Amino acid sequence: MIIQPKTRGFICTTAHPEGCARQVQQQIDYVKAHKKLSGPVNVLVVGASTGYGLASRITAAFGAGANTIGVFFDKPAEGARTASAGWYNSAALEKAAAEQGLKSFSIVGDAFSDSIKTKTIDLIKAEFGTVDLVVYSVASPRRTHPVTGETFSSVIKPVGNAYTNKTMNFHSGEVSTVTIEPATEDEVRQTIAVMGGEDWGMWIDQLQAAGALAEGATTVAYSYIGPEVTHPIYKDGTIGQAKNDLEKTAIALNEKLSATNGRAFVSVNKALVTQSSSAIPVVPLYISALYRVMKDKELHENCIQQMYRLFAEHLYNSDAGSSHLIRIDDWEMREDVQAEVMKRWSEIETANVPVLADLPGYQDDFFNLFGFRTEGVDYEADTDPAVDIPNLV
Ligand code: NAD
């Protein structure tokens, strides 16, 4: 069939297998063109099929030659419906890993469930013995608690007061004003339950209890802080409360892992276009302005550049500090970058978006997420949407 993008707001309901495969190959080429990393050896990535998790898995496998297991929640193609992008990305990654002679396995299912944790731990024990790095990169709108059975939904809302600011429809470039009412106490509780640290802690506890963590194992989860202008909707909002909980979990996990010389980190990453970030009001306009400024200053990075830097300069650099909080948002937060973005923010409106922001860059990144607008792909060609993931367990 001919596969074209079909968007509904910030969602694209189709994905292109060849485009996704090429995007994955570009990330692989990026890490292979850089210095080989000194670790890790055996890696588990939870939330491994798109965005920061995919880039982490690629960095580990092709930057360090690590064996990897990726856990993710994606759907295969069915009839005329394409698979989700993460499915195609993982199929391409598995193929490339096999060609490289790496041990590599994919598990599709709900990472929040006990059954997927058990399945993953059994696989680690059978194939790797132990893992020495666990990356936790799940971003989800919902979670069902494995013990109580309660299903929580996360919301992106301010806490305390309503928040009004500029926002943008990134398809049309139209800038408007949006007001978001504050979350209720229960919405805060549910967002923490989905995006906070409880599930990360459960993974590490169960891996440790099963003897599936190597001596000196490292674990890392991802967070975002961002500039003051987005604080009410991010850092001080419901999602920020969840990220505070993630940080508390890192401190607790550090304690638990210290007995075996292990370490737990939260890495604060740069704002980038992913399926998760495009759903947050205000943020796409901020990212478009940020992209323009960072590209002009030759400081722009995508997920793969961020993850390579995380591994090379922090996780596998013996000179790195020991703080549980890693800042690879340092270039985004540089004073000159933020001063320029904020100057543009105060002036930005629909008419000057093409000058003050990088809307085409945002749009390209958005469509790239689903394998579209990728150089070298013939989007008019008849394409089979049914793709198998090799080594799917
Ligand atoms: P993403 O949407 O690209 O990736 C989410 C991953 O989680 C996918 O692999 C998906 O399959 C997986 N997933 C979702 N629900 C799952 C479930 N129930 N079971 C198993 N897997 C599941 O998101 P992302 O933007 O890469 O976010 C990853 C982390 O990075 C999040 O913690 C996010 O807050 C953080 N972060 C993102 C940004 C940004 O700008 N995008 C910046 C800093 C930090």
Side-chain angles (χ1 to χ4, degrees), residues 289-307:
L290 178 74
Y291 271 27
R292 180 72 281 135
V293 173
M294 291 189 81
K295 284 180 184 174
D296 288 350
K297 288 181 181 285
E298 295 183 3
L299 290 173
H300 181 67
E301 294 172 299
N302 279 324
C303 288
I304 195 67
Q305 282 110 2
Q306 279 265 292
M307 291 301 98

Side-chain angles (χ1 to χ4, degrees), residues 46-54 71-74 86 107-113 116 136-143 195 221-225 234 239 243 246 267-278 283 287 303 306 332 369:
V46 188
S49 62
T50 55
Y52 277 118
L54 172 67
V71 177
F72 47 90
F73 207 45
D74 278 277
I107 293 181
V108 175
D110 181 8
F112 298 130
S113 68
I116 287 294
Y136 188 85
S137 187
V138 173
S140 171
R142 260 174 306 282
R143 169 177 174 228
M195 290 297 288
Y222 301 136
S223 183
Y224 181 65
I225 294 178
Y234 202 98
I239 182 80
K243 294 300 184 187
L246 196 73
S267 172
V268 182
N269 302 348
K270 173 188 192 251
L272 278 174
V273 182
T274 65
Q275 295 185 35
S276 300
S277 69
S278 48
V283 167
I287 291 183
C303 288
Q306 279 265 292
E332 171 183 355
L369 295 175

